[in-house]
């Protein structure tokens, strides 16, 4: 439960700074776009073949570009005009970029929050147990964490994906099933393996932070008093150590959401996401045509940047509010 002091700090820092308001606004906008993607999308994001009469892909609304097409056995240059039917244009296989941007937000945000949540559930108990008991328990658990930290996150994720493979989980889309959006995919392809892998890669950070807090809290007088009354270790961990260790864990969780979004985008860019409805996958699709048709990669790239910036702005706000001692250090 949030104390009155913490609630006051949160309200004051939020009202006094513009940055958390911007971060919250951007994140809420992206979340709403992701949730209501079937309603907001103008086309089925998986449907191909949206070309003009010459077989060229459309540019974003208000722009045009020169394309080389085959006419009567020869290559000729034509000017391709935009259309209001595809406000952000189409990609190289004729899919609507705007619709894929909306659906890509679903995958990136879902993996970011779900992967971080799983990592938190794995890392925090391990870290608390290691810090509370110390000794051999601490040494054994932390050596496992140190071993995983020795590998770059992307390299370790690729290795784990090579072991487990790519297994997307298809979840029925409630908006489509309720008949609120027609002509859209009936299921959401969640990259299940990627979600688990990013959690396995990032849990060590939560374990290290939780261990450090547990090492400090276990020597507090209220913990010693609880032990003297015969309170079990499980109860002490749950009622005393965990609540007094939450501040840095919450701050770390917000930072890790942004890191997981970037990691998922990197894996999707390399072709390991398990779904094609991903911002990272869309960036990879447009890299070969970047000089002539940059919008294919630019818009999903903007989505990733906005998501990461918004989460980091909220993370800075929580850090300043929950731990004023580090405010202004620029970290």
């Amino acid at each position: 439960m949030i104390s009155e002091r913490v609630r006051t700090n949160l309200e004051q820092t939020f009202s006094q700074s513009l940055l958390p308001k911007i971060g919250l606004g951007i994140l809420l906008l992206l979340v709403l776009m992701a949730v209501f993607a079937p309603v907001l999308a103008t086309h089925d994001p998986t449907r191909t073949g949206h070309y003009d009469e010459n077989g060229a892909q459309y540019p974003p609304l208000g722009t045009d570009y020169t394309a080389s097409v085959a006419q009567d056995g020869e290559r000729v240059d034509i000017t391709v005009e935009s259309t209001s039917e595809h406000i952000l244009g189409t990609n190289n296989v004729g899919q609507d970029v705007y619709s894929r941007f909306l659906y890509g937000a679903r995958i990136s945000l879902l993996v970011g929050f779900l992967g971080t949540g799983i990592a938190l559930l794995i890392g925090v108990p391990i870290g608390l147990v290691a810090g509370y008991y110390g000794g051999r328990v601490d040494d054994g658990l932390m050596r496992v964490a140190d071993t995983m930290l020795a590998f770059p996150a992307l390299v370790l994720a690729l290795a784990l994906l090579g072991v487990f493979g790519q297994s997307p989980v298809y979840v029925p889309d409630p908006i489509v099933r309720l008949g609120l959006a027609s002509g859209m995919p009936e299921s959401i392809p969640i990259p299940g393996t990627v979600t688990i892998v990013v959690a396995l890669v990032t849990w060590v950070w939560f374990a290290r932070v939780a261990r450090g807090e547990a090492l400090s809290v276990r020597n507090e007088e209220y913990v010693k008093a609880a032990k003297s009354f015969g309170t079990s270790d499980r109860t002490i961990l749950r009622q005393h150590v965990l609540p007094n260790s939450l501040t840095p864990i919450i701050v770390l969780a917000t930072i890790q959401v942004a890191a997981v979004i970037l990691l998922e985008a990197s894996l999707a860019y390399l072709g390991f996401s398990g779904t094609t409805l991903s911002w990272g996958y869309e960036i990879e699709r447009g890299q070969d045509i970047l000089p002539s048709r940059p919008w294919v990669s630019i818009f999903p790239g903007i989505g990733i940047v906005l998501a990461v910036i918004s989460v980091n702005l909220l993370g800075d706000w929580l850090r300043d509010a929950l731990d004023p001692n580090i405010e202004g250090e620029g970290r």
Side-chain angles (χ1 to χ4, degrees), residues 66-289:
T66 301
S68 178
V69 299
Q71 290 184 357
D72 299 327
E74 297 182 357
R75 303 296 298 184
V76 298
D77 292 335
I78 61 169
T79 299
V80 184
E81 302 284 349
S82 60
T83 171
S84 58
E85 186 178 354
H86 304 283
I87 57 175
L88 296 185
T90 56
N91 61 20
N92 52 347
V93 293
Q95 295 170 325
D96 184 65
V97 172
Y98 167 70
S99 300
R100 292 183 66 81
F101 177 87
L102 296 175
Y103 274 82
R106 279 185 161 188
I107 302 301
S108 292
L109 295 178
L110 189 60
V111 173
F113 287 106
L114 188 58
T116 301
I118 296 174
L120 188 147
L121 293 176
I122 297 173
V124 170
I126 292 176
L128 292 179
V129 169
Y132 179 76
Y133 287 104
R136 293 183 178 179
V137 174
D138 184 20
D139 290 339
L141 293 176
M142 288 301 100
R143 294 303 76 75
V144 175
D146 291 341
T147 301
M148 299 193 70
L149 284 173
F151 298 93
L154 184 58
V155 174
L156 184 57
L158 290 174
L160 291 174
L161 281 170
V163 174
F164 298 114
Q166 303 176 37
S167 301
V169 178
Y170 291 89
V171 179
D173 191 323
I175 293 180
V176 177
R177 292 298 177 91
L178 291 173
L180 301 178
S182 59
M184 297 296 165
E186 296 186 354
S187 59
I188 306 171
I190 301 175
T193 304
V194 169
T195 303
I196 298 298
V197 164
V198 297
L200 293 177
V201 169
T202 57
W203 70 268
V204 292
W205 299 106
F206 289 101
R208 300 291 295 186
V209 170
R211 171 185 176 269
E213 292 299 305
L215 284 172
S216 175
V217 172
R218 73 176 183 177
N219 295 319
E220 295 291 339
E221 294 300 325
Y222 54 82
V223 174
K224 295 178 180 179
K227 287 183 178 180
S228 68
F229 282 105
T231 307
S232 66
D233 289 339
R234 177 179 297 181
T235 301
I236 293 174
L237 283 168
R238 184 178 67 253
Q239 296 184 357
H240 299 291
V241 179
L242 176 60
N244 289 283
S245 304
L246 283 178
T247 294
I249 292 174
I250 293 173
V251 174
L252 176 62
T254 58
I255 297 173
Q256 285 300 107
V257 169
V260 169
I261 289 175
L262 287 174
L263 182 56
E264 185 279 331
S266 300
L267 293 172
Y269 177 84
L270 296 172
F272 292 97
S273 177
T275 174
T276 59
L277 291 175
S278 171
W279 283 339
Y281 180 87
E282 201 69 3
I283 292 175
E284 189 279 331
R285 172 168 283 179
Q287 68 173 351
D288 292 335
I289 56 175

Side-chain angles (χ1 to χ4, degrees), residues 28 39 143 315:
L28 285 177
V39 178
R143 294 303 76 75

